[in-house]
Amino acid sequence: MRVAVYPGSFDPITEGHLDIIKRASKMFDELVVLVLINPEKKGLFDIEERKVLIEKVTKNIPNVKVKAFHGLLVNYMKERELNVIIKGLRAVTDFEYEFQMALMNRKLSPTIETVFMMTSAQYSYLSSSSVKQVAKFGGDLNDLVPKEIIDDVVNKILNK
Ligand code: PNS
């Protein structure tokens, strides 16, 4: 069975992430969306909450599983004998960071391959950080995050 892992902080999941999930899930028998801690980012949702939001918006894609993990991505993968990481690339600015991370992951676990998918053009400007800013100042979240979670994002920001 071909299984790939799509890791990220997903704080919260955006339409851009969901687009990658839909497309990647067609390329593999199973896609594990894996919520991890990015120590460089201050979180809004805790990782269990992020997992619940992803489950809410992927419940109709049967070969997608959502997991959360508190350690290194490569350790999650080694323990389960998984070898393929999927990452979305939005623009040149993502490249250097993603390239560095892909090589570090391969250094830590040489059998791992990172496969990059280009984000669809209509989501190329989108990021979880900009979504949080828009929500904080009362902007319209339609087309930025999946409809089913707009209220969750707004409530979390307001009650923070
Ligand atoms: O969505 P993000 O924030 O760009 O995703 C980055 C993430 C969470 C995939 C990355 O920070 C990560 O893999 N965190 C877990 C710790 C780890 O394995 N780091 C990679 C070695 S540099």
Side-chain angles (χ1 to χ4, degrees), residues 33-134:
V33 181
L34 185 63
V35 186
L36 291 165
I37 310 257
N38 181 343
E40 285 160 27
K41 293 181 181 167
K42 198 167 98 11
L44 171 64
F45 291 94
D46 69 39
I47 76 169
E48 287 303 324
E49 291 171 328
R50 298 177 206 177
K51 177 172 174 266
V52 170
L53 295 183
I54 302 169
E55 280 167 347
K56 212 169 175 177
V57 303
T58 58
K59 63 175 191 291
N60 294 326
I61 316 174
N63 65 332
V64 168
K65 278 192 183 159
V66 189
K67 304 281 175 191
F69 188 66
H70 286 261
L72 278 180
L73 169 58
V74 292
N75 287 349
Y76 179 91
M77 298 192 66
K78 273 190 211 164
E79 284 161 19
R80 291 156 185 84
E81 295 183 3
L82 302 174
N83 290 303
V84 181
I85 299 173
I86 298 285
K87 294 285 327 247
L89 269 190
R90 281 168 303 197
V92 205
T93 42
D94 279 342
F95 181 78
E96 191 156 330
Y97 167 72
E98 291 297 346
F99 183 65
Q100 206 178 10
M101 210 150 45
L103 292 189
M104 175 60 88
N105 285 330
R106 198 196 288 151
K107 160 83 181 136
L108 295 172
S109 182
T111 56
I112 286 182
E113 288 293 347
T114 303
V115 176
F116 290 102
M117 294 183 65
M118 298 302 150
T119 298
S120 298
Q122 78 259 39
Y123 302 125
S124 56
Y125 62 91
L126 201 49
S127 68
S128 297
S129 326
S130 58
V131 162
K132 283 180 271 196
Q133 275 202 33
V134 172

